[in-house]
Amino acid sequence: MTEFYMGCDVSKGYADFIVLNRKKRPIEKSFQLDDTFEGHNAFTTYLGNFFKQHPGSILHIGVESTGGYEDNWYVLFLRLEKECIP
C-alpha cells in the first residue's frame, strides 16, 4: 500500500495543495482552488481521479490552522472521508 501526503496551505478565499510521496518529493505540480462550491467540487473530482491513478493508496491530508479560514476545507475533508473516497 502506497502512502501519499497532501499539504493544504489555506488563505482567505483559496487554498494551495501539493501531494508528496514518502520521500517528500512532489508527485505532480501543486495547484490552487478557490474556497467556493466550485472549488470544493473540483477538489472532490481531483481526489476521485487521484485514487483511480493510485488504487489502494492512502492519502494523508494536513491542513494548517489559519484563524478559521481552514474550516470549510476541513469539513469537506471529513465529509469525503466518510463517503469513503474512493
Side-chain angles (χ1 to χ4, degrees):
M1 190 172 315
T2 305
E3 292 183 86
F4 295 95
Y5 305 88
M6 175 180 275
C8 177
D9 180 17
V10 180
S11 298
K12 185 177 182 180
Y14 66 92
D16 295 295
F17 299 88
I18 189 162
V19 179
L20 307 174
N21 63 18
R22 292 191 78 181
K23 295 182 180 182
K24 300 180 185 174
R25 293 194 178 109
I27 63 164
E28 56 193 31
K29 187 177 177 184
S30 62
F31 59 97
Q32 185 178 88
L33 295 172
D34 290 334
D35 188 6
T36 61
F37 178 79
E38 292 80 10
H40 290 210
N41 282 342
F43 182 84
T44 301
T45 299
Y46 169 85
L47 204 57
N49 290 332
F50 177 86
F51 284 114
K52 284 179 187 173
Q53 293 174 2
H54 306 280
S57 63
I58 296 174
L59 179 64
H60 303 278
I61 302 176
V63 60
E64 71 172 322
S65 178
T66 315
Y69 294 134
E70 74 283 358
D71 291 349
N72 292 336
W73 293 106
Y74 183 68
V75 168
L76 174 66
F77 302 155
L78 290 176
R79 181 177 59 82
L80 293 174
E81 180 181 35
K82 288 180 183 176
E83 292 175 6
C84 299
I85 293 180

